[in-house]
Structure formats: C-alpha cells, structure tokens
Amino acid sequence: MGRIDINREFNKIQTPVISFNNVSKKYNTGTDALSNVSFNIFKGEFVFIVGDSGSGKTTLIKLILKETLPSSGKVFVVGHETKRLRRKTVARFRRSIGVVFQDFRLLKDRDVFENVAFAQRVIEAEPHTLRHKVSKVLNLVGLSDKARALPKELSGGQQQKVAMARALVNNPIIMLADEPTGNLDPNSSREIMRLLDDINKRGTTVVVVTHNQEIVDEMQKRVIVLKDGKIVRDEAKGTYDAVRKEAKEEFE
Amino acid sequence: MKHLRTLGYCIKQGFSGLWKNRLFSLASIATVMACLTLIGTFYFVYLNVENALLKAESSVGMTVFFNEGVEEDRIKEIKSKLEKVEEISEVRYISADEAWEKYKKENMTEEMAASFGDDNPLKESASLEIHLKNGESGKNVADSIRDVSGVRTVNFSETVSERLSDIRALIIAVATVLIGMLAAVSFFLIRTTIATGINVRKEEISIMSIIGATDLFMELPFIVEGIFIGLLGGLIPLLILNYSYTIVENALKREFGNAFENFNLLPKSEVMGGFLPVALLFTVGIGFLASWITAMGKVRKIAVEHF
C-alpha cells in the first residue's frame, strides 16, 4: 500500500463544495425565505437539511442549482459563485450536480435504460461510453435486470433507484436529493438511504433534504436544521429534533 | 461527429414531437398549405396578367406626323435620333405610299381603291411609328417629340399606358397585403402548435435542464418541428400548384387555341422555377422563425421551474 499524502487528503476534505456566506433571499411577494444563512459543505460530506414546510429548504436547493439568485450574500457551488455564472455556462455547471426528486421525474414513455441514458445524451457522450456507463450505474443501483422495463412496471423504490442512476451517470460532484423517500414505504426508504450512503462512500458529496425523522436519526450524519429561513442547528452527528437529541444523549 | 450525433438525436426528437402532437401539427401544416396555395395561385395569376400587360404595353405606340414640305431625309434624321432615346424600343418609318396602301387595304374595297388611280391623297402623311419599352414614359416622350421642329402632331393615347400602370400597382398592393396576412396566420398557428408541443413535453424539458442540457439541445427538437411543418406545408401545395398549372394551361389551349396570343400562359418551368425556391424558403423560414421564437421563450421559462 502506498503512503498517504496527509496534506493532500486534508485539503481535499477541507474544500467546500457548497458555501453560503450571509445569504438572504427575499421574494418579490415580500416573503423572507432565507435570512443571513451561512454554512459550508465539504467534499465527501453527507448532510441532511431538515425543517418544516416554509422553513427555506426549497429556496436553499434553488440557490444551489442557480434557479434563483440570493438577494444578498454569496453562494459558491463547486468553486463557482452562482451569481457570476453566465447563462451559457449554467448547463455545464449543473452537470456537476446530480438531482433526485420526491416524485422521481422519469420519462414515462422510455424504458429504464433510456431514462438513464438520457443524462448521457444531454452531455453528448460517445455511444460506447454511454452504454458502458449506463450499464455500470444500473448495476450499482441493482437494476441491471430491469433495463428494458418501463417506469410504470417498477415499484416506487425501483423508480427512485432509476432516478438516482440517472443523477449518478454523469459522475456528479454533488448529489442533491429532495425528499427522496417522500413517496416510499419504510423498507424502500432504508434501501434508498443505504444507496445514498454507498454513493457518498465512493466520494460524492450527498445533500439530502428530508422530513423523514427516522432516517435522519438512524443515519447519524451531519444535520442542518432550518426554521423560518434561519439555521437553528448544525450538528456533525445530529438528529431530526433537539428533544430527541437530548433524550438520546441522556440514554447514552 | 459529436455534434452531428446530437443533431441526429434532436431531429429524431423533433419528428417524435411532431407525431405526439399530430393533431396540432396537421392543423399547422394544413394552414401553411392553404396559405401557400392561395399565395401561389395569386402569384401565378399576377405573373400571367403582368405578362399580358407587358405584351399590351409593348404594343402601345405613338405615331408622329410632319408638317407639309418636310423632306424624307429630315424625317429619317429625326428617326435615327429617336432610336437613341432610351424609352423607345422601335421606330418605323412609314412612307406616304406605304400609309396609302395600308389605308386602302384596311378601309376600302378594291373598286374604291382603283378609282383613285395613281393619286395618293396621303402624300403629305409620311410618319414615324414609335413603340415604347414601357407605357409609363409615353406622355413624356410624346411631349418631347411635339417640340421637335417639323413635327405636326403626335398621336398617343395616354390613358392606355396610365391604366396599365394602375392595374399593375393594384395587383402588387393586393398581393402584398394578402401575402402579409397569410404569413401572419401561418406564423401564429405554428407558434400555437410549438407551444402546445412544449407544454406536452414540459416534464422532459425540466429534466433536461436539471441534468445540464444546453439551451440549444432543449430547443432544437422544437425548431426541427417548426421547420418540418414549414417544409411539408410548402412542398404539398407546390406539387398541387404544379399539377393544377398544367391542367389550366391545357384547358386554355383547348378553349382558345392560339386565337388570342395573350391567352397563352407563361411556360410552367419559368413560373415554377422562380416560385419554388422562394416559396420553400418562405414556408421553412416562417416555420423556423415561429418555432425558434416560441422555443426560446417557453423552453427557457420551463427550464427554471423545477421545484
């Protein structure tokens, strides 16, 4: 086994892939969606972002994807300040982020293979690279045998795995999952989370926005809690709510 | 190669969109077809009417008569000067004898003509017969000739040339308005078709944008759809017009034979040769513009509405 370059590894792990510096977002309707939010997410981290409806989670995702811009403050994603990104470069920028939605968002008229291949076609991949990568990623999510199935022939959990395969196939730096277990039963939810954990262990930064308390508590990952547009808690090995955390600590 | 493959993919998606949205696509193609058929018919009628007018115009002429005692040499001198005038296409010298012969032939019986013997009552009526290139310049030319010394009178009907110019101007004005209106109708119907297609594929566009598709990649299938609507909407009426022209041409020949020269239509190759590329460019251009403008607005709006 070769020697590990500690400094290199340290720098790698200390590079923020997402950085919010005093970010506020006020919509035209007058709603303050986020107020003075600051945090860093480093390369290779697994982070849960939790909070009630209207707490600012969706705005936070939109800011990461440059779907909206901050009213004040700066948002950096994979080294780019989103405000400075020109329209022409947004497409390339988004290829570094894989997104998974609660409602899977698969193309209903195309089979599993084509749904995943779609992400490769968009980046104009070579046909042989496309075939190789799609097969590899379907194997990773355990759906190689379902390559020719249509989305309607799959269970919810399987559909979410296809969506994850599509998000993964372009080797993103960040995997952004918006309520990935929202439409799934507990078993499928655990399976999806295990898969996300596996993806994270392979080096991809994973950010999960969720309401699922059990999953958050079970996974023992970093948790950022939003309330009324502000970060009220940011813990390295957190739980969904403070009461549970205290109870857990007391028990331990 | 990479871009060619992507282009191929987008073209395939464009056709697929055309099929998925076939009812609207058909309506658009039918509208473009109707528009081009009307434009084509109008254009062919215009071309043939103009051709007939040109023929009539070139026969518009004037006759110049001279004062008594003006020598034939002087008349021929004036003739050679007039031949150099740009607006004049032809000048013919009609001698007094020739004029008398023509008069006798057109207006007298042989017996009446014979009674004159060798007398020529028109001996002072040598004239110049002038044909113009364009009827519009007739009045000015006639006025100038009247000022030439030795000229007694110039016979010229101004109303004929003015009427011909008026007819042409009217045809051009009506054609411009009609073509403009039809183009606008086609344009807006293609826009509606493309907008409907975009709505049907909203989900797909949203996914494309989130996984990093460029604007062009998302818009190209719709532009292909628009171009194809324009192309089909143009090609079908061109075939219909081509076929109909032959039918009309044959019908006119059958009805009138060669009795009236002006009833002969212009050759089909001449008419279609000029119209075909312009018509295709027109319909494809409308399809491209309408779809491009719609795709740019709508696709880009959907591309930022993911949550």
Side-chain angles (χ1 to χ4, degrees):
Chain A
M1 211 170 117
R3 278 176 58 190
I4 296 169
D5 183 342
I6 299 290
N7 280 336
R8 196 167 141 247
E9 289 301 310
F10 183 76
N11 283 339
K12 200 169 84 180
I13 221 156
Q14 288 305 309
T15 313
V17 285
I18 299 172
S19 182
F20 275 53
N21 296 342
N22 295 316
V23 174
S24 296
K25 177 68 188 177
K26 190 172 186 157
Y27 286 109
N28 291 339
T29 51
T31 320
D32 280 315
L34 288 178
S35 328
N36 264 324
V37 169
S38 293
F39 67 90
N40 286 324
I41 293 176
F42 294 97
K43 193 172 186 331
E45 270 198 292
F46 191 122
V47 182
F48 282 113
I49 295 175
V50 301
D52 297 334
S53 295
S55 60
K57 301 190 303 289
T58 303
T59 302
L60 197 132
I61 297 176
K62 283 183 168 188
L63 285 164
I64 293 173
L65 286 166
K66 205 207 179 237
E67 272 193 24
T68 189
L69 291 170
S71 307
S72 66
K74 288 178 177 177
V75 176
F76 291 91
V77 180
V78 289
H80 301 284
E81 192 194 340
T82 56
K83 215 171 192 170
R84 289 177 181 271
L85 276 172
R86 283 184 298 166
R87 186 176 174 87
K88 268 176 131 179
T89 51
V90 171
R92 203 161 281 278
F93 159 76
R94 285 193 180 153
R95 291 173 194 177
S96 56
I97 309 167
V99 189
V100 176
F101 300 93
Q102 179 177 357
D103 54 357
F104 324 131
R105 302 209 188 162
L106 300 177
L107 300 171
K108 294 169 187 70
D109 59 342
R110 293 181 214 182
D111 62 25
V112 167
F113 187 93
E114 272 309 312
N115 263 285
V116 180
F118 189 52
Q120 282 274 290
R121 292 197 201 284
V122 159
I123 63 161
E124 300 180 81
E126 295 283 336
H128 67 273
T129 315
L130 179 148
R131 280 193 297 275
H132 172 72
K133 284 199 167 184
V134 174
S135 303
K136 197 175 146 190
V137 85
L138 281 179
N139 191 38
L140 179 77
V141 299
L143 286 176
S144 294
D145 57 331
K146 300 280 182 191
R148 292 297 157 207
L150 286 170
K152 65 177 179 192
E153 294 161 0
L154 304 175
S155 68
Q158 287 172 323
Q159 288 190 52
Q160 193 58 295
K161 283 180 182 176
V162 178
M164 285 171 76
R166 184 181 64 198
L168 268 182
V169 75
N170 289 346
N171 299 323
I173 296 168
I174 303 164
M175 175 79 126
L176 198 57
D178 182 27
E179 299 283 1
T181 58
N183 284 348
L184 305 178
D185 59 67
N187 282 340
S188 301
S189 298
R190 279 194 188 89
E191 221 178 310
I192 292 297
M193 293 318 293
R194 264 200 300 275
L195 200 53
L196 279 171
D197 199 24
D198 191 27
I199 290 162
N200 175 243
K201 281 179 181 139
R202 287 165 188 262
T204 309
T205 307
V206 175
V207 179
V208 181
V209 174
T210 188
H211 273 114
N212 195 324
Q213 297 194 11
E214 283 78 33
I215 293 264
V216 175
D217 293 346
E218 259 177 49
M219 296 283 288
Q220 293 280 296
K221 302 286 184 187
R222 181 180 167 191
V223 178
I224 296 175
V225 184
L226 283 170
K227 194 177 180 190
D228 299 329
K230 291 187 177 106
I231 293 181
V232 291
R233 205 149 48 87
D234 184 350
E235 290 168 341
K237 282 189 175 182
T239 51
Y240 195 90
D241 55 41
V243 182
R244 280 189 182 217
K245 169 98 176 162
E246 280 158 20
K248 194 177 158 216
E249 278 171 358
E250 214 169 281
F251 181 76
E252 279 170 357
Chain B
M1 187 65 197
K2 189 168 111 175
H3 294 315
L4 264 181
R5 199 173 43 246
T6 303
L7 183 69
Y9 178 77
C10 289
I11 290 174
K12 204 175 139 195
Q13 290 304 310
F15 281 111
S16 143
L18 207 68
W19 178 248
K20 279 181 192 162
N21 194 16
R22 53 189 171 276
L23 210 65
F24 269 90
S25 304
L26 267 176
S28 282
I29 291 170
T31 311
V32 177
M33 270 174 63
C35 290
L36 195 71
T37 310
L38 273 172
I39 291 171
T41 310
F42 205 85
Y43 179 71
F44 292 167
V45 169
Y46 165 72
L47 273 189
N48 281 290
V49 168
E50 196 192 51
N51 182 49
L53 290 181
L54 279 174
K55 278 183 186 169
E57 263 187 2
S58 62
S59 68
V60 170
M62 56 183 79
T63 315
V64 184
F65 293 98
F66 299 88
N67 293 328
E68 269 182 45
V70 174
E71 298 291 324
E72 189 178 326
D73 287 349
R74 169 65 184 151
I75 296 174
K76 286 189 172 165
E77 186 194 329
I78 294 171
K79 175 182 180 275
S80 62
K81 277 184 184 166
L82 287 175
E83 278 168 344
K84 287 174 191 145
V85 175
E86 204 187 321
E87 287 87 349
I88 293 171
S89 64
E90 191 191 350
V91 184
R92 215 159 73 80
Y93 173 68
I94 314 281
S95 67
D97 292 342
E98 209 179 318
W100 176 229
E101 285 305 319
K102 193 179 170 199
Y103 186 84
K104 283 196 289 187
K105 203 172 166 188
E106 285 174 6
N107 302 298
M108 291 180 175
T109 58
E110 274 184 35
E111 284 168 14
M112 266 175 81
S115 68
F116 281 87
D118 289 336
D119 276 353
N120 180 358
L122 299 178
K123 65 181 173 197
E124 295 296 338
S125 291
S127 64
L128 291 178
E129 192 181 285
I130 296 173
H131 291 273
L132 299 166
K133 282 182 186 161
N134 186 333
E136 284 170 43
S137 55
K139 189 179 180 306
N140 291 339
V141 173
D143 288 345
S144 309
I145 297 172
R146 279 187 191 109
D147 294 339
V148 176
S149 78
V151 169
R152 177 164 42 101
T153 181
V154 178
N155 286 350
F156 170 64
S157 171
E158 287 169 18
T159 50
V160 172
S161 87
E162 277 168 12
R163 189 64 50 82
L164 291 181
S165 302
D166 287 350
I167 292 171
R168 184 187 289 134
L170 181 73
I171 289 176
I172 290 174
V174 173
T176 309
V177 172
L178 191 72
I179 290 170
M181 277 167 58
L182 296 177
V185 171
S186 305
F187 184 86
F188 285 108
L189 205 78
I190 295 175
R191 279 203 70 162
T192 311
T193 306
I194 299 296
T196 312
I198 290 172
N199 267 337
V200 170
R201 293 164 70 182
K202 208 171 168 178
E203 186 79 16
E204 194 178 330
I205 295 165
S206 169
I207 294 167
M208 275 199 263
S209 95
I210 209 80
I211 55 185
T214 58
D215 288 335
L216 187 66
F217 189 91
M218 292 186 280
E219 290 159 12
L220 205 54
F222 300 106
I223 296 172
V224 167
E225 214 174 311
I227 289 176
F228 193 71
I229 289 173
L231 191 70
L232 260 189
L235 273 178
I236 298 171
L238 280 173
L239 288 173
I240 296 171
L241 285 168
N242 187 51
Y243 184 65
S244 314
Y245 199 85
T246 314
I247 294 175
V248 174
E249 206 173 22
N250 290 340
L252 280 178
K253 267 186 194 152
R254 204 173 42 243
E255 287 296 318
F256 300 103
N258 288 325
F260 304 98
E261 204 188 332
N262 288 351
F263 273 59
N264 276 342
L265 292 184
L266 283 164
K268 191 169 77 180
S269 58
E270 195 180 306
V271 175
M272 288 302 288
F275 186 64
L276 192 131
V278 177
L280 277 184
L281 205 72
F282 176 76
T283 55
V284 170
I286 284 184
F288 168 75
L289 262 184
S291 56
W292 182 50
I293 292 170
T294 315
M296 265 214 314
K298 289 219 158 236
V299 169
R300 290 182 191 192
K301 195 164 172 264
I302 292 170
V304 290
E305 289 172 351
H306 301 111
F307 296 94

